[in-house]
């Protein structure tokens, strides 16, 4: 049994067979052979080695024509590894003694070598791991060709292990087959983690080397509450997990039983709890969990899921569908937030990605939209048309300057004028607001009050930009704390200044759905929460436990503390006072 520690990003437990997803979205089949097939597999292995060597030599020729002999040592090293006697002995032993099919034997053997390289602590050998992975891919290609098992064709339930997963891969998994996942890299508020929570897929990220430490076919437990992956658990551990799964289920069922009770404090203050979504289809879940609208609709997922560049009709269809499901409840359609960890690749499309060195600080979201007005105008037209159908607001992400809001308002006015000429209905009073997620906006919020109908605080990005800690990078996860005093003070500033000007504020970062912060945010004056759908019942329940006086006392005390650690310890303690069973996240 082996226990690996990472970052818990999506609660719940998954126990099942591990499947390693390689970069080509395929998994290595765990296939066994019978005694008479042994020599055939040995021959397949030798043939694959020869084919892989020939492929490398061919590649070497092409590369040296382009860049000269500079890269030759890399190719020579790969050919040498492929001829390595200990590697051959290892693979042949697994075929002959364990009756592994050649591809399974190759994969397990190379992963054993990778682990051994890592254990030496020698940085030169550790760097050679990419070479071993490259060789593994080449051998699997030679052995399986097109026959690699595709994740889309899985016929059983698995726990996926991968180096990394993109948000769109996570959104596309068949939820019936993928019961949990774990990755080497990633952070708490990266979009992959956000999608996992929304889809209720237990997940742990930032494990470092899970995708190489574990082999396809191992039994694994993903503990999304504590951020642990257990490989080949013993019976005692399995029993403990079976019990925890049962308790977690009871806890969740109890919450769901109260989902339709409103979020009203003990002294009668009504709070709204809406949801964050990536796709219109999620609205069904939002309503099932007692959500009171959509506080954030991340429309860029329309691009991430699409094979072609979405046109105005595709935008409009998606919004029309969302509005038909949400009815008269409010829905904040956020304009495209492409860039950072969300890219869209379609050949030479107008929305092809810019190759930036630092995309989180680059041409992302509104910067991208203003740079490509033709792309943006399609979306604005669709949102304006949709505004005639329901309670629609338009929300702009990643604003850092007032000029950006002014430019968007100008574009909206032009689009509305055109729609009026064409006799197409729209709501001329559609509220237009912004995400407060860049420090410059939070610090000068009063200036934005003149240009915005509402604000929504995006603590996922606000935290990464204030603390200069990439939200998707596991190496700085220990520096990424929404509970840092600087963030708490900025949120207070935004809430106070906006209240003076009568501008409504919601908070749609993951902090709003973190039980530890609910009472604190209420005490600061937040009345609109927007959270991942499965978290709605818990947030509503916590609000029902407190009075505003108590909540204010909690927020005053939290603001007086000097470090994230003190803040978190205090707020977690407060949450447990109200919800003694709350020990799951
Ligand atoms: C945020 O930054 O807090 C937010 C809600 O937006 P996203 O997570 O999509 O960047
Ligand atoms: Mg954001």
């Amino acid at each position: 049994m082996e226990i690996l520690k990472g970052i818990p990003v999506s609660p719940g437990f998954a126990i099942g067979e591990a499947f390693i997803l390689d970069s080509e979205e395929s998994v290595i089949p765990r296939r066994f052979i019978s005694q008479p097939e042994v020599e055939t597999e040995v021959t397949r292995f030798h043939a694959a080695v020869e084919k892989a060597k020939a492929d490398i030599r061919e590649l070497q020729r092409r590369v040296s024509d382009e860049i000269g002999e500079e890269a030759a040592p890399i190719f020579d090293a790969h050919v040498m590894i492929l001829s390595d006697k200990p590697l051959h002995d290892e693979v042949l032993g697994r075929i002959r003694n364990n009756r592994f099919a050649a591809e399974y034997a190759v994969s397990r053997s190379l992963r054993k070598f990778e682990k051994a390289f890592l254990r030496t602590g020698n940085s030169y050998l550790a760097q050679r791991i990419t070479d071993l992975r490259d060789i593994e891919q080449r051998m699997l290609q030679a052995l399986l060709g097109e026959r690699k098992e595709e994740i889309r064709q899985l016929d059983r339930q698995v726990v996926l292990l991968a180096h990394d997963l993109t948000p769109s891969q996570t959104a596309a998994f068949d939820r019936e087959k993928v019961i949990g996942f774990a990755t080497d890299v990633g952070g708490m508020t990266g979009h992959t983690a956000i999608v996992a929570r929304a889809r209720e897929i237990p997940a742990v990220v930032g494990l470092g080397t899970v995708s190489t430490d574990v082999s396809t076919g191992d039994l694994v437990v993903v503990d999304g509450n504590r951020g642990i992956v257990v490989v080949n658990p013993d019976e005692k551990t399995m029993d403990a997990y079976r019990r925890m799964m049962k308790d977690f289920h009871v806890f969740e069922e109890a919450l769901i039983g109260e989902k339709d009770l409103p979020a009203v404090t003990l002294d009668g203050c009504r709070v709204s709890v809406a949801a964050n979504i990536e796709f219109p289809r999620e609205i069904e879940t939002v309503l099932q969990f007692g959500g009171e609208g959509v506080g954030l609709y991340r429309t860029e997922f329309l691009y991430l899921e699409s094979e072609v560049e979405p046109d105005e009709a595709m935008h409009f269809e998606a919004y029309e569908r969302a509005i038909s499901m949400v009815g008269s409840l409010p829905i904040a359609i956020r304009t495209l937030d492409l860039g950072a960890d969300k890219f869209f690749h379609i050949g030479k499309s107008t929305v092809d990605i810019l190759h930036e060195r630092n995309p989180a600080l680059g041409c992302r979201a509104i910067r991208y939209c203003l740079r490509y007005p033709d792309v943006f105008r399609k979306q604005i037209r669709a949102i304006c048309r949709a505004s005639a159908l329901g309670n629609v607001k338009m929300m702009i992400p990643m604003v850092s300057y007032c000029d950006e809001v002014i430019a968007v308002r100008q574009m909206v006015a032009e689009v509305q004028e055109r729609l009026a000429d064409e006799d197409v209905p729209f709501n001329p009073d559609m509220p237009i607001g912004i995400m407060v997620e860049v420090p410059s906006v939070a610090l000068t919020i009063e200036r934005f009050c003149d240009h915005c109908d509402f604000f929504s605080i995006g603590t996922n990005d606000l935290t990464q930009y204030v603390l200069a800690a990439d939200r998707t990078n596991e190496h700085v996860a220990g520096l990424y704390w929404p509970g840092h005093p600087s963030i708490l003070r900025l949120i207070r500033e935004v809430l106070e200044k906006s209240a003076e000007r009568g501008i409504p504020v919601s908070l749609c970062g993951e902090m709003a759905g973190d039980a530890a912060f609910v009472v604190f945010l209420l005490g600061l004056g937040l009345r609109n929460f927007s959270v991942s759908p499965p978290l709605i019942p818990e947030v509503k329940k916590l609000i029902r436990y407190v009075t505003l006086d108590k909540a204010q006392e909690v927020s005053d005390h939290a603001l007086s503390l000097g470090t994230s650690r003190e803040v978190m310890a205090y707020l977690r303690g407060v949450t447990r006072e109200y919800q003694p069973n709350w020990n799951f996240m």
Side-chain angles (χ1 to χ4, degrees), residues 189 191 194 276 296 298 300 334 337 342 364 435 437 457-462 471 508-510:
T189 63
H191 287 93
I194 288 172
N276 300 342
L296 164 62
R298 293 183 166 100
E300 57 278 4
R334 183 174 76 180
D337 188 356
K342 289 173 291 190
R364 177 189 161 185
M435 300 274 302
E437 51 185 353
I457 306 176
T459 44
N460 304 340
D461 278 314
L462 190 62
R471 61 194 268 195
C508 62
E510 294 301 295

Side-chain angles (χ1 to χ4, degrees), residues 21 24-26 149-155 172 174 177:
L21 185 71
E24 289 153 27
E25 285 211 13
S26 57
E149 196 175 5
E150 293 252 343
I151 186 67
R152 282 179 285 273
Q153 298 157 1
L154 274 175
D155 58 1
D174 177 348
K177 301 283 162 45

